[in-house]
Amino acid sequence: MRITSAEVAALLLSIKVSLFSLVIMLPPGLLVGWLLAKHEFRGKSILNTLVMLPLVLPPVVSGYLLLILLSNNGPIGRLLSEIFNIEIIFTPFAVVIAISVISFPLLVRGILTGISSVPTELENAARTLGASPLKVFFTITLPLAHRGIIGGIILGFSKSLGEFGATIMVAGNIQGKTQTIALAIFNAVHLGQDITAFRLVLISTILAFISIWITERITISNNHI
Amino acid sequence: MNGNTGILISIRKRLGNFTLEVDCNIQEKVTAFLGASGSGKTTILNCISGTLSPDEGRIAFGNQIYYDSETNINVPPDKRRFGYVFQEGNLFPHLTVEKNIRYGQSRTNRKNRDSITQVVEILEITELLERYPNQLSGGQRQRVAIARALAMEPRLLLMDEPLASLDGGLKSRIIPYLHHIKNAYEIPIIYVTHAITEAMALADRAFLLDDGKVTTSGEPYQILASPSALPIAHLTGVENIFSLPVASSDKMKGITELEIGGQQLVIPYIDVEIGKMVPVAIRAEDIIISLEPDLPISARNILNGTVDEVDDQVMLSILVEGQRFSVKITHEARQQLQLDKGKNVYCVIKANAINLLWHDT
C-alpha cells in the first residue's frame, strides 16, 4: 500500500501554495491588523467588513466572484491577458489567489487580536524614548503581539491547506497542476477509491496536528510576557 | 524672547466634560503639579511629552518650541527627548532590564558599556540588569523606569506619580534616590503627584491643580498653608507639614531641636548642619491639646499657641508662632475644654510622631 505520485503531488502542491500565499499575505495582513487595532480613520468599518467578508460568504460564492474578476472576460483577467499575456484561471496561481482570499480573514483576526492586546501605554513609552512609529512597531508591538500573530498564521495556513470551494471554482481540479490535497480527497471519494481517500485524510490530520503542536511550542517558549 | 531658559506650558485641552487650562512659566529645577486624581495632572504631562496633543496653546523650553497651535508646530514625542517616568513603570516585558534601560539610548551609547554605569549605580540596580520586568519587585521596577528615562539623556524629566503604586515604606526608600537624581543631573524635572509629602521632599515650586486649573502656586510648604491645599493634605493623611531650621543637634541624647518661632520642636536625632531647613510632617490625630503647660508626661514637645479656627469636622486650627497646626479632637473634648477661637492652648506632640520627610546627609 504505497503512496502514489499523484497523492504526493497533491500534498506538495497544497504545502507550496499555502506557504506562498502566507508569504505574500503576511505584510498586508500585518498592515490591516495594525490599522484596525490601533487607528481610527474614516472607512474603518468598511475595511473591516471587506476583509472579514470571505469568512461568512460560502467559499463557493467567493470563488465564483473571483472567477468573474479573473476570467479573460473579467475586468482584472482581461487586463492581465491583454497587457502581460498572462492567464490565471485554472493555474496554480489561481489556487494561491483563492486560498489567500479565503484565509486572509483568519490571518487578520489573529494579528488584530495580538496587536490589540499590546498596551498603547507601552507604545507611547517607546515613543517618548525616541523611537519612531516604525521602530515602535517592530521592537514593541510585533514582539508583544507574537502570540496572536502566530495564531493567525497557523489558522490561516491550516485553512489554506484544506480550502476547497473557492479553489475548485477558479483553479479547477487538474491532477498534478491545481489539485490540492482537499480536491484529491474529494476526487478519491467521488471515484470510490476508499484507500486513497483514507491515506489523504490521515495526512491532512497529521498536518493539522503538527501545526497545532508548533503553535503551542512557540507560544510557550517565551514566558516573560 | 529675553534669553528665556524656562519652560512655558500654556495649553488648553478638552477631554469629554473635563477641560485642562493651564498657563505656567517654570524656572525652577524641580516643579511639582499637585492635585487629586482627575485634576488633570497626567493630562499635563501627556501634553508636554507629546503623546497627547492639546487643543490650543504653546509649549516651549528655552528657545525651542514644541507645540504651538498658531504656527501649527507639534514636535512628535520621539523628537522631543523628554524622559517620561510613568505611574505604572511601563517597562517593556519582553526585554531585560538592561535592554529596557538602553532602549532610548543613541546608537553610539548603546554600544558603550559604561554609558549606563552612573545611572545604574545611583539607582542601585546593577544586580538586576539581566532580569526581566516580571522578576522585579514594585520598587525595583520603578527604579528601572527612572533609569530608563535618564539613560536617554533627556532635556527634561517628566514623572507621573512614580511612587503611587508603591506602599508607604517603599515610598520613603525611593525618595532619597529621587533626591540623588535631582543633585546629580542638570535637567529640570516636572513631577506630578497627589502626595504633598513628595512635593515637599523634592520640589522647589509647586502648582496646585483643581479640576484642570491651577489654583495656587509657590514653594510647596507655602502652598500647604493655603486653604485650597487642605483636601489634598487630607488625601495624603498628613495634615501638618512644616519646613523648619535646625536649632541644635545632640547625638549623645539622640535628639535634634528644630526652631519654630521662639519655641523648640524636638525630633529624633538627625545628622544635619545647624540652620538647615528640614521638612517634617505630623498627623492631625497625633497631636494632643492641653490647657496646662506643666504636665507629668513623656512627650517632648509642648508648644504654646492659640485656637484660630474650629470647624464642624472636629478639626482645630491652632497658630503656633505663625505656623498653622491642624489637630483632630473629639466633639466631647472640644466642649469639655471649651476650645473656642482665641483660646490659649498647648499642643503636645511625641518626638516619634514627627516624621522627617527628607534631609540631606
Side-chain angles (χ1 to χ4, degrees):
Chain A
M1 197 182 88
R2 283 184 52 207
I3 193 161
T4 65
S5 62
E7 290 163 25
V8 174
L11 174 64
L12 286 180
L13 178 70
S14 276
I15 292 174
K16 260 190 268 182
V17 291
S18 300
L19 280 176
F20 191 62
S21 151
L22 180 63
V23 170
I24 55 171
M25 296 318 274
L26 192 55
L30 287 171
L31 180 69
V32 171
W34 180 65
L35 283 175
L36 290 177
K38 293 283 180 186
H39 295 267
E40 292 305 324
F41 52 92
R42 277 179 70 172
K44 180 175 173 174
S45 56
I46 294 174
L47 176 66
N48 192 27
T49 310
L50 272 180
V51 168
M52 294 305 159
L53 203 57
L55 201 62
V56 265
L57 276 183
V60 179
V61 174
S62 304
Y64 182 67
L65 292 174
L66 281 176
L67 186 64
I68 292 172
L69 284 174
L70 297 172
S71 72
N72 282 345
N73 299 324
I76 299 175
R78 181 180 297 167
L79 217 68
L80 287 172
S81 73
E82 277 174 11
I83 299 172
F84 302 104
N85 201 18
I86 303 172
E87 232 170 272
I88 288 181
I89 299 299
F90 305 126
T91 65
F93 202 69
V95 182
V96 173
I97 292 177
I99 62 176
S100 295
V101 168
I102 299 298
S103 62
F104 193 60
L106 291 169
L107 180 67
V108 170
R109 274 262 153 230
I111 293 169
L112 179 66
T113 314
I115 292 181
S116 303
S117 73
V118 180
T120 307
E121 295 81 53
L122 290 186
E123 294 163 327
N124 279 342
R127 290 297 302 279
T128 66
L129 288 163
S132 65
L134 206 66
K135 187 185 170 188
V136 173
F137 181 73
F138 282 110
T139 58
I140 306 295
T141 314
L142 269 195
L144 290 176
H146 78 280
R147 275 184 199 170
I149 294 172
I150 291 168
I153 287 174
I154 299 288
L155 261 177
F157 186 72
S158 309
K159 182 78 188 170
S160 298
L161 279 179
E163 212 293 317
F164 180 83
T167 311
I168 203 164
M169 293 298 282
V170 277
N173 190 356
I174 308 163
Q175 207 179 70
K177 193 179 173 195
T178 64
Q179 190 180 72
T180 60
I181 199 160
L183 298 178
I185 292 173
F186 172 77
N187 234 21
V189 174
H190 203 66
L191 299 174
Q193 300 166 341
D194 288 345
I195 295 170
T196 306
F198 179 73
R199 263 205 302 268
L200 291 170
V201 165
L202 196 68
I203 291 170
S204 295
T205 313
I206 292 169
L207 276 179
F209 195 86
I210 291 172
S211 50
I212 292 171
W213 183 74
I214 292 173
T215 325
E216 293 292 315
R217 293 295 304 175
I218 294 173
T219 18
I220 292 166
S221 68
N222 194 341
N223 57 4
H224 294 297
I225 301 165
Chain B
M1 296 259 122
N2 41 358
N4 185 9
T5 54
I7 304 160
L8 175 76
I9 305 158
S10 173
I11 47 170
R12 229 169 71 89
K13 174 75 185 172
R14 252 190 85 131
L15 292 168
N17 284 332
F18 172 81
T19 307
L20 174 79
E21 202 165 4
V22 291
D23 187 359
C24 323
N25 201 329
I26 294 169
Q27 298 291 341
E28 288 76 11
K29 187 160 179 192
V30 179
T31 307
F33 281 95
L34 263 169
S37 58
S39 59
K41 297 171 303 203
T42 303
T43 309
I44 291 187
L45 286 195
N46 286 343
C47 286
I48 300 174
S49 75
T51 51
L52 187 70
S53 292
D55 296 333
E56 56 181 318
R58 195 178 160 94
I59 296 169
F61 177 19
N63 295 322
Q64 174 82 45
I65 296 164
Y66 292 95
Y67 175 83
D68 189 359
S69 53
E70 265 174 44
T71 50
N72 260 328
I73 294 173
N74 194 0
V75 177
D78 44 307
K79 299 280 190 294
R80 295 193 185 194
R81 258 185 54 214
F82 292 169
Y84 197 158
V85 180
F86 300 86
Q87 187 170 349
E88 299 301 332
N90 283 350
L91 297 180
F92 305 131
H94 60 304
L95 301 178
T96 60
V97 167
E98 175 161 4
K99 285 195 174 136
N100 261 285
I101 294 174
R102 290 196 183 278
Y103 189 87
Q105 287 194 306
S106 64
R107 215 160 283 176
T108 44
N109 269 348
R110 219 174 298 159
K111 290 192 183 109
N112 179 359
R113 286 190 131 261
D114 298 332
S115 63
I116 57 168
T117 312
Q118 187 196 11
V119 73
V120 163
E121 276 173 9
I122 288 182
L123 290 157
E124 297 182 38
I125 49 179
T126 316
E127 277 78 52
L128 310 176
L129 290 178
E130 302 304 316
R131 295 204 198 159
Y132 282 88
N134 69 348
Q135 299 165 325
L136 304 176
S137 69
Q140 291 171 335
R141 220 171 288 160
Q142 261 339 353
R143 268 144 61 200
V144 173
I146 295 166
R148 182 176 70 176
L150 284 170
M152 71 182 287
E153 296 173 27
R155 296 185 184 112
L156 179 67
L157 190 61
L158 308 170
M159 301 184 116
D160 184 7
E161 303 233 24
L163 310 182
S165 57
L166 309 176
D167 60 47
L170 263 177
K171 267 187 197 140
S172 51
R173 263 187 280 161
I174 303 267
I175 287 181
Y177 290 111
L178 298 179
H179 235 263
H180 225 97
I181 286 161
K182 180 182 173 181
N183 295 329
Y185 292 85
E186 274 305 311
I187 43 172
I189 300 173
I190 297 180
Y191 192 100
V192 147
T193 181
H194 70 264
I196 284 197
T197 46
E198 288 170 32
M200 287 284 300
L202 296 164
D204 305 307
R205 185 180 166 90
F207 291 90
L208 200 64
L209 262 185
D210 184 28
D211 195 27
K213 292 173 188 58
V214 172
T215 53
T216 319
S217 79
E219 286 185 48
Y221 66 90
Q222 284 177 341
I223 283 209
L224 197 78
S226 78
S228 47
L230 211 64
I232 294 173
H234 287 304
L235 213 81
T236 317
V238 180
E239 292 82 357
N240 298 296
I241 299 180
F242 309 104
S243 193
L244 302 171
V246 175
S248 71
S249 216
D250 192 330
K251 198 171 184 176
M252 297 297 287
K253 286 190 193 162
I255 55 165
T256 294
E257 285 185 328
L258 306 180
E259 178 129 11
I260 178 161
Q263 306 184 50
Q264 263 80 41
L265 193 66
V266 178
I267 64 169
Y269 174 77
I270 50 167
D271 185 17
V272 174
E273 277 173 55
I274 287 168
K276 262 215 149 147
M277 303 293 280
V278 280
V280 292
I282 309 163
R283 302 176 70 96
E285 51 261 52
D286 286 342
I287 302 175
I288 295 166
I289 297 295
S290 163
L291 299 178
E292 301 284 333
D294 303 312
L295 297 166
I297 54 170
S298 64
R300 304 312 310 149
N301 295 296
I302 300 171
L303 300 173
N304 185 222
T306 49
V307 177
D308 186 55
E309 238 182 272
V310 188
D311 78 7
D312 335 326
Q313 306 294 313
V314 287
M315 220 23 141
L316 277 186
S317 183
I318 295 167
L319 279 177
V320 177
E321 311 281 348
Q323 301 272 19
R324 187 175 296 276
F325 281 74
S326 290
V327 182
K328 210 179 231 168
I329 51 163
T330 62
H331 197 68
E332 271 175 45
R334 199 199 127 191
Q335 286 190 324
Q336 210 177 349
L337 301 181
Q338 293 177 318
L339 298 171
D340 298 315
K341 189 173 161 67
K343 183 141 188 150
N344 190 48
V345 292
Y346 295 89
C347 296
V348 182
I349 313 161
K350 280 171 68 175
N352 286 320
I354 302 170
N355 299 299
L356 205 59
L357 294 178
W358 167 255
H359 66 92
D360 285 300
T361 45

